[in-house]
Amino acid sequence: MAATLCNVSTSRPPRTRRTATGERRAAYDPETLLEVAARVFTERGYDGTSMEHLAIAAGITKSSIYHHVPGKEALLSAALDRALDALFAVCDEPQSTTGAAIDRLEHVIRRSVEILDEELPYVTLLLRVRGNTDTEQDALERRRTFDRFVTKLVAEAAQDGDLAPEIDPGLTTRLVFGMINSITEWYHPGRGVTVHELADAVVAVALRGRQA
Amino acid sequence: MAATLCNVSTSRPPRTRRTATGERRAAYDPETLLEVAARVFTERGYDGTSMEHLAIAAGITKSSIYHHVPGKEALLSAALDRALDALFAVCDEPQSTTGAAIDRLEHVIRRSVEILDEELPYVTLLLRVRGNTDTEQDALERRRTFDRFVTKLVAEAAQDGDLAPEIDPGLTTRLVFGMINSITEWYHPGRGVTVHELADAVVAVALRGRQA
DNA sequence: GTCTATAAATTGATAGAC
DNA sequence: GTCTATCAATTTATAGAC
């Protein structure tokens, strides 16, 4: 079983502490550590990230990290769950389960872009994972489950005649979600395009011809 | 400056050698080592790949690798150049420089998919690189130059009225090439769809509405 | 062109002081 | 909740025999 982050839900509000040089600043908050870890894992790769790298990025020592989490893999697991939980929540939304397939598909596509914006560091990390550890393989399996949900929507929409039938649903899903996922390569929230412009552009390219 | 792979162009045909157990097999060919390295770098990440990992995958010892290349980074550099040289060759093809912008764009898109097929291990590696070393940053800079070439084509085609003008050329390029690049996540040559079906599907999704 | 042996640095993780 | 000090294992790379 995958390791889990300890104390995330029971964390107290941050207090202050003194650094080695006597400088006062906020003591560490497990939430912040998780985001720092997700970012560094994404930049350097999970294997390429040492506890020392994380410690420097977080501004504490290696040993202090072990006070918050049992180890490196627990940080990875918690960060990946964060992205996956958000994506699966979309599948359970009423707009994803009722109405015409093409409308449910558009809703899932738009919400996926929004989650990419809201949970950017965690979604980006999820997309970089290649299955080298048990934790990564568990995450990839959950990703495949999400893909199957979307593929079914594409197939239904094609059967309804609301999508060009000449391309395979699985191939369409891969290309469209490949396009969505590639947004993590360059998107920075609050800089350049907005989330809504982005979602419009994706829907325009992916479902064009169907658009009003 | 980036390190370079030594002896690639002057390599002799493979001979035979004995392993520790006396088994006879082909002696090492620098070309093969480069492909093995690209594949392992892609699977485990460059930082996550040790010389020991490469040695096991190549079937020789760590020390023997140092006979062929000056170090780990030289292998990375040579593999990335292979992908980038192929992409830049496309920019120089006559169909990429003459005719209507929309036709030049379609040609570059189709050829990009073909190069992804022909040089899969090297292109896949190129797309995983994040700029953590000088070698990686040089590669990213060359990738950006290629992107600018394509962005110009998209802008020209939009000005000609051959592409929907409502989306920004830069954004379109990012989304379309994000879609193309995502193919490396699941495509295996000779299994499932063919390169031509793939190129057709990409052009259909990317330039739909303009298609015959 | 391959190997064994080894060097010097870095790795993930622990012990225990404050 | 943080730190210093340390451990055993692994890392990149070299020396030199065959």
Side-chain angles (χ1 to χ4, degrees):
Chain A
M1 229 200 79
T4 51
L5 189 68
C6 70
N7 287 334
V8 167
S9 50
T10 60
S11 64
R12 276 164 261 121
R15 296 174 306 166
T16 58
R17 70 183 193 84
R18 283 191 187 282
T19 61
T21 55
E23 180 202 348
R24 192 170 272 277
R25 71 140 182 249
Y28 233 82
D29 159 20
E31 216 25 38
T32 315
L33 179 58
L34 191 61
E35 196 185 315
V36 167
R39 256 197 264 275
V40 181
F41 286 157
T42 294
E43 274 167 31
R44 316 185 66 98
Y46 174 69
D47 284 319
T49 303
S50 72
M51 293 301 270
E52 185 67 25
H53 290 140
L54 290 181
I56 291 167
I60 54 179
T61 59
K62 267 199 298 180
S63 308
S64 295
I65 294 179
Y66 285 98
H67 178 81
H68 297 289
V69 289
K72 198 177 153 184
E73 197 150 10
L75 279 167
L76 178 65
S77 181
L80 294 175
D81 280 343
R82 184 124 168 184
L84 286 162
D85 290 348
L87 285 174
F88 277 106
V90 170
C91 300
D92 294 332
E93 288 171 0
Q95 296 104 311
S96 303
T97 54
T98 51
I102 186 75
D103 294 322
R104 281 180 278 149
L105 178 62
E106 181 171 334
H107 180 256
V108 171
I109 288 175
R110 282 188 189 279
R111 291 288 294 125
S112 294
V113 174
E114 283 164 17
I115 279 161
L116 195 144
D117 170 70
E118 292 160 16
E119 307 285 352
L120 191 61
Y122 308 106
V123 174
T124 306
L125 178 60
L126 176 64
L127 297 174
R128 300 275 163 96
V129 143
R130 317 259 71 113
N132 295 323
T133 63
D134 286 350
T135 300
E136 296 183 36
Q137 286 195 338
D138 290 350
L140 287 183
E141 183 50 43
R142 291 188 72 190
R143 251 182 82 181
R144 278 190 286 269
T145 302
F146 179 78
D147 282 353
R148 281 190 290 269
F149 179 86
V150 180
T151 302
K152 265 189 203 159
L153 285 183
V154 172
E156 273 189 71
Q159 265 185 327
D160 294 348
D162 291 326
L163 222 52
E166 75 261 17
I167 315 175
D168 175 71
L171 181 53
T172 305
T173 303
R174 279 173 160 156
L175 290 176
V176 170
F177 269 81
M179 182 169 69
I180 294 173
N181 293 341
S182 73
I183 293 169
T184 57
E185 302 277 330
W186 52 267
Y187 176 67
H188 298 274
R191 189 204 309 178
V193 290
T194 67
V195 208
H196 299 293
E197 287 167 348
L198 200 49
D200 285 345
V202 169
V203 169
V205 174
L207 308 179
R208 196 191 303 153
R210 185 259 167 180
Q211 280 294 93
Chain B
M1 227 200 76
T4 51
L5 188 68
C6 71
N7 287 334
V8 168
S9 50
T10 60
S11 65
R12 278 165 259 119
R15 296 174 306 164
T16 58
R17 69 182 193 85
R18 282 188 188 286
T19 61
T21 55
E23 181 202 348
R24 191 169 273 278
R25 71 141 185 249
Y28 231 82
D29 160 20
E31 217 21 39
T32 315
L33 179 59
L34 190 62
E35 197 186 314
V36 167
R39 257 198 264 275
V40 181
F41 285 157
T42 296
E43 276 168 30
R44 316 184 66 99
Y46 174 69
D47 284 320
T49 302
S50 72
M51 292 301 267
E52 185 66 25
H53 290 141
L54 290 180
I56 290 165
I60 54 179
T61 60
K62 267 197 299 182
S63 308
S64 295
I65 294 179
Y66 284 98
H67 178 80
H68 297 289
V69 289
K72 199 176 151 184
E73 197 150 11
L75 280 167
L76 177 65
S77 181
L80 294 174
D81 280 343
R82 183 124 166 184
L84 287 162
D85 290 348
L87 285 173
F88 277 105
V90 170
C91 301
D92 294 331
E93 288 171 359
Q95 296 105 312
S96 303
T97 54
T98 52
I102 186 75
D103 294 322
R104 282 179 279 149
L105 177 62
E106 181 171 335
H107 180 255
V108 170
I109 289 175
R110 283 188 187 279
R111 291 286 296 127
S112 293
V113 175
E114 284 164 15
I115 279 159
L116 195 144
D117 169 71
E118 292 159 17
E119 307 285 351
L120 190 60
Y122 308 107
V123 174
T124 305
L125 178 60
L126 176 65
L127 298 174
R128 301 274 164 97
V129 143
R130 304 289 148 204
N132 296 323
T133 63
D134 286 350
T135 301
E136 295 183 36
Q137 287 195 338
D138 290 350
L140 287 182
E141 184 49 45
R142 292 189 70 190
R143 253 182 81 182
R144 279 190 285 269
T145 303
F146 179 77
D147 282 353
R148 281 190 290 269
F149 179 86
V150 179
T151 302
K152 264 189 203 160
L153 285 184
V154 173
E156 273 189 69
Q159 266 186 327
D160 294 349
D162 291 326
L163 223 52
E166 74 260 17
I167 316 173
D168 175 71
L171 182 53
T172 304
T173 303
R174 280 174 160 154
L175 290 177
V176 170
F177 269 81
M179 182 169 68
I180 294 174
N181 293 341
S182 74
I183 293 169
T184 57
E185 302 277 329
W186 52 267
Y187 176 66
H188 298 274
R191 191 207 302 182
V193 291
T194 66
V195 207
H196 299 293
E197 287 166 350
L198 201 50
D200 285 344
V202 169
V203 169
V205 174
L207 308 180
R208 196 191 303 154
R210 185 258 168 183
Q211 280 294 95

